[in-house]
Short mmCIF file of all heavy atoms in Angstrom, two decimals:
data_model
loop_
_atom_site.label_atom_id
_atom_site.label_comp_id
_atom_site.label_asym_id
_atom_site.label_seq_id
_atom_site.Cartn_x
_atom_site.Cartn_y
_atom_site.Cartn_z
N ALA A 114 173.88 53.98 174.38
CA ALA A 114 172.81 53.82 173.40
C ALA A 114 171.40 53.67 173.98
O ALA A 114 170.39 53.78 173.25
CB ALA A 114 173.06 52.50 172.59
N ALA A 115 171.28 53.66 175.32
CA ALA A 115 169.97 53.66 175.94
C ALA A 115 169.51 54.98 176.31
O ALA A 115 168.39 55.30 176.71
CB ALA A 115 170.01 52.79 177.24
N ASN A 116 170.47 55.98 176.03
CA ASN A 116 170.07 57.46 176.31
C ASN A 116 170.38 58.21 175.06
O ASN A 116 171.51 58.68 174.83
CB ASN A 116 170.90 58.01 177.51
CG ASN A 116 170.34 57.53 178.84
OD1 ASN A 116 169.11 57.62 178.98
ND2 ASN A 116 171.26 57.10 179.70
N VAL A 117 169.37 58.38 174.23
CA VAL A 117 169.61 58.97 172.94
C VAL A 117 169.01 60.37 172.88
O VAL A 117 167.92 60.59 173.34
CB VAL A 117 168.91 58.17 171.81
CG1 VAL A 117 169.13 58.79 170.48
CG2 VAL A 117 169.43 56.73 171.83
N TYR A 118 169.89 61.38 172.42
CA TYR A 118 169.37 62.66 172.20
C TYR A 118 169.31 62.98 170.64
O TYR A 118 170.34 62.74 170.07
CB TYR A 118 170.19 63.72 172.92
CG TYR A 118 169.98 63.65 174.42
CD1 TYR A 118 170.65 62.76 175.23
CD2 TYR A 118 169.01 64.43 175.01
CE1 TYR A 118 170.39 62.63 176.55
CE2 TYR A 118 168.66 64.31 176.34
CZ TYR A 118 169.41 63.38 177.18
OH TYR A 118 169.14 63.27 178.50
N MET A 119 168.14 63.22 170.16
CA MET A 119 167.98 63.45 168.74
C MET A 119 167.83 64.84 168.35
O MET A 119 167.27 65.66 169.01
CB MET A 119 166.75 62.61 168.27
CG MET A 119 167.00 61.25 167.99
SD MET A 119 165.63 60.49 166.96
CE MET A 119 166.12 60.91 165.32
N PHE A 120 168.49 65.20 167.18
CA PHE A 120 168.43 66.52 166.58
C PHE A 120 168.05 66.39 165.16
O PHE A 120 168.62 65.61 164.38
CB PHE A 120 169.88 67.12 166.75
CG PHE A 120 170.38 67.28 168.16
CD1 PHE A 120 170.83 66.15 168.87
CD2 PHE A 120 170.19 68.43 168.83
CE1 PHE A 120 171.21 66.38 170.21
CE2 PHE A 120 170.55 68.60 170.09
CZ PHE A 120 171.07 67.53 170.83
N GLY A 121 166.91 67.06 164.83
CA GLY A 121 166.44 66.85 163.41
C GLY A 121 165.98 68.12 162.77
O GLY A 121 165.74 69.16 163.39
N ALA A 122 165.87 68.03 161.37
CA ALA A 122 165.48 69.12 160.61
C ALA A 122 164.83 68.56 159.26
O ALA A 122 165.29 67.57 158.87
CB ALA A 122 166.65 70.01 160.17
N HIS A 123 163.84 69.20 158.79
CA HIS A 123 163.30 68.64 157.49
C HIS A 123 164.22 69.23 156.37
O HIS A 123 164.53 70.36 156.31
CB HIS A 123 161.83 68.97 157.33
CG HIS A 123 161.44 70.33 157.02
ND1 HIS A 123 161.37 70.81 155.71
CD2 HIS A 123 160.96 71.35 157.74
CE1 HIS A 123 160.96 72.09 155.75
NE2 HIS A 123 160.74 72.47 156.92
N LEU A 124 164.53 68.22 155.55
CA LEU A 124 165.42 68.54 154.40
C LEU A 124 164.70 68.82 153.09
O LEU A 124 165.12 69.35 152.11
CB LEU A 124 166.35 67.25 154.23
CG LEU A 124 167.39 67.37 153.06
CD1 LEU A 124 168.38 68.51 153.32
CD2 LEU A 124 168.22 66.09 153.14
N ASP A 125 163.31 68.56 153.05
CA ASP A 125 162.52 68.92 151.91
C ASP A 125 162.05 70.35 151.89
O ASP A 125 162.05 70.99 152.99
CB ASP A 125 161.31 67.94 151.85
CG ASP A 125 160.30 68.16 152.97
OD1 ASP A 125 160.77 68.35 154.15
OD2 ASP A 125 159.11 68.28 152.66
N GLY A 126 161.72 70.84 150.78
CA GLY A 126 161.18 72.15 150.61
C GLY A 126 159.79 72.15 149.94
O GLY A 126 159.31 71.06 149.61
N VAL A 127 159.25 73.27 149.71
CA VAL A 127 157.97 73.44 148.85
C VAL A 127 158.39 73.50 147.44
O VAL A 127 159.57 73.77 147.14
CB VAL A 127 157.10 74.56 149.38
CG1 VAL A 127 156.57 74.28 150.72
CG2 VAL A 127 157.94 75.91 149.27
N SER A 128 157.43 73.38 146.49
CA SER A 128 157.78 73.42 145.15
C SER A 128 158.06 74.89 144.59
O SER A 128 158.58 75.06 143.56
CB SER A 128 156.65 72.72 144.30
OG SER A 128 155.44 73.24 144.54
N ALA A 129 157.64 75.85 145.39
CA ALA A 129 157.63 77.32 144.95
C ALA A 129 159.08 77.81 144.79
O ALA A 129 159.31 78.72 144.10
CB ALA A 129 156.88 78.16 145.88
N GLY A 130 160.07 77.28 145.58
CA GLY A 130 161.38 77.86 145.56
C GLY A 130 162.39 76.87 146.15
O GLY A 130 162.09 75.71 146.50
N PRO A 131 163.65 77.39 146.28
CA PRO A 131 164.74 76.50 146.70
C PRO A 131 164.76 76.17 148.17
O PRO A 131 165.52 75.30 148.63
CB PRO A 131 166.01 77.29 146.39
CG PRO A 131 165.54 78.69 146.29
CD PRO A 131 164.08 78.68 145.83
N GLY A 132 163.96 76.94 149.01
CA GLY A 132 163.83 76.55 150.46
C GLY A 132 165.10 76.73 151.18
O GLY A 132 165.62 75.84 151.82
N MET A 133 165.66 77.94 151.09
CA MET A 133 166.92 78.16 151.87
C MET A 133 166.70 78.36 153.32
O MET A 133 167.28 77.75 154.15
CB MET A 133 167.65 79.31 151.23
CG MET A 133 168.25 78.96 149.88
SD MET A 133 169.43 77.69 149.95
CE MET A 133 168.56 76.20 149.53
N ASN A 134 165.76 79.27 153.73
CA ASN A 134 165.48 79.38 155.18
C ASN A 134 164.54 78.25 155.59
O ASN A 134 164.82 77.68 156.66
CB ASN A 134 164.77 80.77 155.39
CG ASN A 134 164.62 80.92 156.94
OD1 ASN A 134 165.51 80.58 157.66
ND2 ASN A 134 163.52 81.56 157.32
N ASP A 135 163.60 77.81 154.76
CA ASP A 135 162.70 76.71 155.00
C ASP A 135 162.94 75.62 154.13
O ASP A 135 162.43 75.53 153.03
CB ASP A 135 161.29 77.24 154.96
CG ASP A 135 160.30 76.15 155.39
OD1 ASP A 135 160.74 75.16 156.05
OD2 ASP A 135 159.05 76.37 155.22
N ASN A 136 163.85 74.61 154.51
CA ASN A 136 164.61 74.56 155.68
C ASN A 136 166.00 74.16 155.44
O ASN A 136 166.59 73.26 156.10
CB ASN A 136 163.90 73.56 156.63
CG ASN A 136 164.51 73.49 158.03
OD1 ASN A 136 165.02 74.56 158.44
ND2 ASN A 136 164.55 72.33 158.57
N GLY A 137 166.60 74.79 154.39
CA GLY A 137 168.06 74.71 154.20
C GLY A 137 168.81 75.05 155.52
O GLY A 137 169.76 74.49 155.92
N SER A 138 168.26 76.07 156.17
CA SER A 138 168.95 76.67 157.35
C SER A 138 169.12 75.57 158.42
O SER A 138 170.19 75.37 158.88
CB SER A 138 168.16 77.94 157.90
OG SER A 138 166.82 77.48 158.24
N GLY A 139 167.99 74.91 158.85
CA GLY A 139 168.03 73.89 159.84
C GLY A 139 168.96 72.71 159.35
O GLY A 139 169.68 72.14 160.15
N SER A 140 168.72 72.36 158.08
CA SER A 140 169.47 71.16 157.56
C SER A 140 171.02 71.47 157.53
O SER A 140 171.74 70.58 157.90
CB SER A 140 168.98 70.94 156.12
OG SER A 140 167.66 70.58 156.12
N ALA A 141 171.36 72.60 157.18
CA ALA A 141 172.71 72.96 157.06
C ALA A 141 173.40 73.14 158.47
O ALA A 141 174.54 72.66 158.64
CB ALA A 141 172.98 74.30 156.27
N ALA A 142 172.71 73.73 159.32
CA ALA A 142 173.23 73.96 160.67
C ALA A 142 173.42 72.56 161.39
O ALA A 142 174.42 72.35 162.06
CB ALA A 142 172.24 74.80 161.51
N LEU A 143 172.49 71.67 161.13
CA LEU A 143 172.53 70.35 161.71
C LEU A 143 173.73 69.48 161.11
O LEU A 143 174.47 68.90 161.80
CB LEU A 143 171.27 69.62 161.52
CG LEU A 143 170.79 68.65 162.56
CD1 LEU A 143 170.68 69.37 163.88
CD2 LEU A 143 169.45 68.07 162.15
N LEU A 144 173.91 69.67 159.80
CA LEU A 144 174.92 68.98 159.18
C LEU A 144 176.36 69.45 159.72
O LEU A 144 177.18 68.63 160.11
CB LEU A 144 174.94 69.16 157.64
CG LEU A 144 176.12 68.56 156.86
CD1 LEU A 144 176.30 67.03 157.06
CD2 LEU A 144 175.87 68.85 155.32
N GLU A 145 176.51 70.71 159.84
CA GLU A 145 177.80 71.20 160.34
C GLU A 145 178.03 70.84 161.86
O GLU A 145 179.16 70.58 162.21
CB GLU A 145 177.97 72.75 160.10
CG GLU A 145 179.33 73.26 160.33
CD GLU A 145 180.37 72.60 159.50
OE1 GLU A 145 180.20 72.09 158.33
OE2 GLU A 145 181.52 72.44 160.09
N ASN A 146 176.93 70.77 162.50
CA ASN A 146 177.09 70.33 163.90
C ASN A 146 177.48 68.87 163.97
O ASN A 146 178.33 68.40 164.75
CB ASN A 146 175.69 70.51 164.65
CG ASN A 146 175.71 71.69 165.54
OD1 ASN A 146 176.27 71.76 166.61
ND2 ASN A 146 175.17 72.79 165.00
N ALA A 147 176.88 67.98 163.09
CA ALA A 147 177.30 66.62 162.96
C ALA A 147 178.77 66.51 162.63
O ALA A 147 179.48 65.68 163.21
CB ALA A 147 176.37 65.89 162.06
N LEU A 148 179.17 67.30 161.65
CA LEU A 148 180.57 67.19 161.30
C LEU A 148 181.57 67.69 162.34
O LEU A 148 182.61 67.09 162.61
CB LEU A 148 180.76 68.00 159.95
CG LEU A 148 179.95 67.53 158.74
CD1 LEU A 148 180.28 68.45 157.56
CD2 LEU A 148 180.19 66.13 158.48
N THR A 149 181.12 68.70 163.08
CA THR A 149 181.90 69.27 164.23
C THR A 149 182.03 68.27 165.29
O THR A 149 183.15 68.08 165.84
CB THR A 149 181.21 70.55 164.74
OG1 THR A 149 181.25 71.49 163.55
CG2 THR A 149 182.12 71.11 165.82
N LEU A 150 180.94 67.49 165.60
CA LEU A 150 181.01 66.48 166.63
C LEU A 150 181.98 65.40 166.23
O LEU A 150 182.81 64.97 167.08
CB LEU A 150 179.57 65.88 166.89
CG LEU A 150 179.53 64.78 167.87
CD1 LEU A 150 179.80 65.28 169.30
CD2 LEU A 150 178.10 64.13 167.90
N ALA A 151 181.91 65.03 164.98
CA ALA A 151 182.84 63.94 164.52
C ALA A 151 184.30 64.44 164.59
O ALA A 151 185.20 63.66 164.94
CB ALA A 151 182.43 63.58 163.07
N GLN A 152 184.48 65.68 164.20
CA GLN A 152 185.87 66.18 164.15
C GLN A 152 186.48 66.34 165.61
O GLN A 152 187.59 66.05 165.81
CB GLN A 152 185.80 67.55 163.39
CG GLN A 152 187.18 68.15 163.09
CD GLN A 152 187.54 69.14 164.17
OE1 GLN A 152 186.74 69.83 164.67
NE2 GLN A 152 188.81 69.17 164.48
N GLN A 153 185.57 66.80 166.46
CA GLN A 153 186.00 66.93 167.89
C GLN A 153 186.11 65.65 168.63
O GLN A 153 186.96 65.49 169.45
CB GLN A 153 185.05 67.78 168.64
CG GLN A 153 184.94 69.29 168.00
CD GLN A 153 185.53 70.33 168.85
OE1 GLN A 153 185.74 70.28 170.02
NE2 GLN A 153 186.26 71.25 168.16
N ASN A 154 185.19 64.78 168.22
CA ASN A 154 185.19 63.39 168.77
C ASN A 154 185.42 63.28 170.34
O ASN A 154 186.31 62.67 170.88
CB ASN A 154 186.25 62.52 168.10
CG ASN A 154 186.03 61.04 168.41
OD1 ASN A 154 184.99 60.61 168.80
ND2 ASN A 154 187.04 60.22 168.11
N PRO A 155 184.59 64.10 171.07
CA PRO A 155 184.73 64.10 172.58
C PRO A 155 184.28 62.77 173.17
O PRO A 155 183.53 62.02 172.40
CB PRO A 155 183.77 65.23 173.01
CG PRO A 155 182.74 65.31 171.95
CD PRO A 155 183.40 64.91 170.68
N THR A 156 184.67 62.38 174.38
CA THR A 156 184.12 61.31 175.02
C THR A 156 182.63 61.60 175.35
O THR A 156 182.28 62.51 175.97
CB THR A 156 184.92 61.02 176.36
OG1 THR A 156 186.21 60.90 175.96
CG2 THR A 156 184.52 59.82 177.03
N LEU A 157 181.84 60.65 174.88
CA LEU A 157 180.41 60.94 175.07
C LEU A 157 179.79 60.05 176.12
O LEU A 157 180.14 58.93 176.39
CB LEU A 157 179.64 60.52 173.74
CG LEU A 157 179.74 61.49 172.55
CD1 LEU A 157 178.76 61.09 171.46
CD2 LEU A 157 179.74 62.88 172.98
N ARG A 158 178.97 60.75 176.93
CA ARG A 158 178.15 60.13 178.04
C ARG A 158 176.92 59.51 177.41
O ARG A 158 176.51 58.34 177.62
CB ARG A 158 177.82 61.14 179.06
CG ARG A 158 176.98 60.76 180.13
CD ARG A 158 177.04 61.87 181.22
NE ARG A 158 176.70 63.21 180.77
CZ ARG A 158 175.45 63.63 180.73
NH1 ARG A 158 174.55 62.92 181.32
NH2 ARG A 158 175.13 64.86 180.35
N ASN A 159 176.25 60.26 176.58
CA ASN A 159 174.98 59.79 175.91
C ASN A 159 175.11 59.69 174.44
O ASN A 159 176.14 60.25 173.90
CB ASN A 159 173.81 60.76 176.29
CG ASN A 159 173.55 60.68 177.83
OD1 ASN A 159 173.64 59.56 178.35
ND2 ASN A 159 173.32 61.76 178.48
N ARG A 160 174.09 59.14 173.75
CA ARG A 160 174.24 58.91 172.32
C ARG A 160 173.59 60.13 171.60
O ARG A 160 172.63 60.73 172.06
CB ARG A 160 173.46 57.66 171.99
CG ARG A 160 173.40 57.06 170.65
CD ARG A 160 174.73 56.55 170.21
NE ARG A 160 175.43 55.55 171.00
CZ ARG A 160 175.73 54.37 170.50
NH1 ARG A 160 175.33 53.96 169.33
NH2 ARG A 160 176.38 53.49 171.22
N VAL A 161 174.17 60.52 170.50
CA VAL A 161 173.71 61.65 169.66
C VAL A 161 173.23 61.11 168.30
O VAL A 161 174.04 60.38 167.65
CB VAL A 161 174.68 62.77 169.51
CG1 VAL A 161 174.14 63.89 168.62
CG2 VAL A 161 175.14 63.23 170.83
N ARG A 162 171.98 61.41 167.87
CA ARG A 162 171.49 60.86 166.59
C ARG A 162 170.90 62.11 165.89
O ARG A 162 170.20 62.91 166.48
CB ARG A 162 170.38 59.82 166.94
CG ARG A 162 169.88 59.18 165.64
CD ARG A 162 168.73 58.20 165.96
NE ARG A 162 169.12 57.17 166.81
CZ ARG A 162 168.35 56.38 167.66
NH1 ARG A 162 167.02 56.56 167.53
NH2 ARG A 162 168.88 55.46 168.41
N PHE A 163 171.27 62.11 164.56
CA PHE A 163 170.76 63.32 163.79
C PHE A 163 169.73 62.80 162.74
O PHE A 163 169.97 61.61 162.28
CB PHE A 163 171.97 63.96 163.04
CG PHE A 163 172.95 64.49 163.93
CD1 PHE A 163 174.13 63.78 164.37
CD2 PHE A 163 172.82 65.86 164.41
CE1 PHE A 163 175.07 64.42 165.13
CE2 PHE A 163 173.71 66.44 165.34
CZ PHE A 163 174.84 65.66 165.58
N ALA A 164 168.75 63.52 162.38
CA ALA A 164 167.85 63.15 161.30
C ALA A 164 167.50 64.25 160.39
O ALA A 164 167.43 65.45 160.80
CB ALA A 164 166.56 62.65 162.00
N TRP A 165 167.45 63.97 159.09
CA TRP A 165 166.95 64.91 158.12
C TRP A 165 165.71 64.27 157.51
O TRP A 165 165.71 63.17 157.01
CB TRP A 165 168.04 65.12 157.02
CG TRP A 165 169.20 65.97 157.47
CD1 TRP A 165 169.37 67.27 157.36
CD2 TRP A 165 170.34 65.42 158.25
NE1 TRP A 165 170.55 67.67 157.97
CE2 TRP A 165 171.15 66.59 158.53
CE3 TRP A 165 170.73 64.24 158.75
CZ2 TRP A 165 172.30 66.49 159.25
CZ3 TRP A 165 171.93 64.15 159.49
CH2 TRP A 165 172.69 65.23 159.80
N TRP A 166 164.61 65.01 157.70
CA TRP A 166 163.26 64.45 157.46
C TRP A 166 162.85 64.71 156.00
O TRP A 166 162.99 65.77 155.45
CB TRP A 166 162.21 64.96 158.40
CG TRP A 166 162.64 64.80 159.82
CD1 TRP A 166 162.79 65.84 160.67
CD2 TRP A 166 162.73 63.59 160.51
NE1 TRP A 166 163.06 65.28 161.98
CE2 TRP A 166 163.04 63.95 161.85
CE3 TRP A 166 162.72 62.19 160.15
CZ2 TRP A 166 163.30 62.93 162.79
CZ3 TRP A 166 162.99 61.22 161.11
CH2 TRP A 166 163.26 61.58 162.45
N THR A 167 162.12 63.71 155.48
CA THR A 167 161.45 63.89 154.20
C THR A 167 159.91 64.28 154.41
O THR A 167 159.47 64.13 155.51
CB THR A 167 161.33 62.62 153.43
OG1 THR A 167 160.84 62.78 152.09
CG2 THR A 167 160.64 61.44 154.02
N ASP A 168 159.42 64.95 153.39
CA ASP A 168 157.99 65.14 153.30
C ASP A 168 157.32 65.90 154.49
O ASP A 168 156.09 65.70 154.76
CB ASP A 168 157.31 63.79 153.12
CG ASP A 168 156.05 63.81 152.15
OD1 ASP A 168 156.12 64.67 151.27
OD2 ASP A 168 155.15 62.96 152.35
N GLU A 169 158.12 66.72 155.16
CA GLU A 169 157.53 67.60 156.20
C GLU A 169 156.46 68.46 155.58
O GLU A 169 155.46 68.73 156.24
CB GLU A 169 158.62 68.35 156.93
CG GLU A 169 158.23 69.13 158.16
CD GLU A 169 157.64 70.54 157.82
OE1 GLU A 169 157.77 70.98 156.69
OE2 GLU A 169 157.23 71.22 158.77
N GLU A 170 156.78 69.04 154.46
CA GLU A 170 155.92 70.10 153.86
C GLU A 170 154.59 69.50 153.44
O GLU A 170 153.59 70.34 153.23
CB GLU A 170 156.64 70.79 152.69
CG GLU A 170 157.92 71.58 153.15
CD GLU A 170 157.61 72.88 153.86
OE1 GLU A 170 156.46 73.10 154.14
OE2 GLU A 170 158.60 73.61 154.20
N GLN A 171 154.48 68.21 153.34
CA GLN A 171 153.18 67.70 152.98
C GLN A 171 152.44 67.11 154.16
O GLN A 171 151.49 66.37 154.04
CB GLN A 171 153.35 66.56 151.85
CG GLN A 171 154.35 66.86 150.83
CD GLN A 171 154.01 68.14 150.09
OE1 GLN A 171 152.82 68.43 149.77
NE2 GLN A 171 154.99 68.92 149.81
N GLY A 172 152.97 67.41 155.42
CA GLY A 172 152.22 66.95 156.57
C GLY A 172 153.06 66.30 157.69
O GLY A 172 152.55 65.34 158.35
N LEU A 173 154.26 66.66 157.85
CA LEU A 173 155.14 66.10 158.88
C LEU A 173 155.33 64.59 158.68
O LEU A 173 155.49 63.77 159.74
CB LEU A 173 154.67 66.35 160.30
CG LEU A 173 154.03 67.76 160.54
CD1 LEU A 173 153.65 67.88 162.04
CD2 LEU A 173 154.94 68.87 160.24
N ASN A 174 155.23 64.15 157.42
CA ASN A 174 155.09 62.66 157.14
C ASN A 174 156.31 61.83 157.39
O ASN A 174 156.24 60.71 157.91
CB ASN A 174 154.61 62.44 155.72
CG ASN A 174 153.23 63.10 155.56
OD1 ASN A 174 152.50 63.19 156.48
ND2 ASN A 174 153.12 63.69 154.29
N GLY A 175 157.47 62.36 157.07
CA GLY A 175 158.77 61.57 157.22
C GLY A 175 159.02 61.35 158.72
O GLY A 175 159.29 60.21 159.16
N SER A 176 158.91 62.33 159.61
CA SER A 176 159.21 62.16 161.03
C SER A 176 158.09 61.36 161.60
O SER A 176 158.44 60.48 162.50
CB SER A 176 159.30 63.53 161.71
OG SER A 176 158.10 64.25 161.50
#
Side-chain angles (χ1 to χ4, degrees):
N116 283 314
V117 180
Y118 288 86
M119 271 195 87
F120 296 81
H123 74 85
L124 185 55
D125 66 315
V127 293
S128 52
M133 288 296 100
N134 187 37
D135 188 10
N136 187 30
S138 62
S140 298
L143 214 55
L144 174 56
E145 191 54 33
N146 262 279
L148 300 181
T149 302
L150 179 65
Q152 188 266 325
Q153 299 253 325
N154 195 16
T156 303
L157 288 193
R158 177 165 56 93
N159 295 320
R160 187 68 55 120
V161 181
R162 185 182 300 162
F163 297 96
W165 287 264
W166 307 118
T167 187
D168 218 28
E169 186 272 355
E170 296 289 4
Q171 318 304 321
L173 321 181
N174 298 326
S176 57

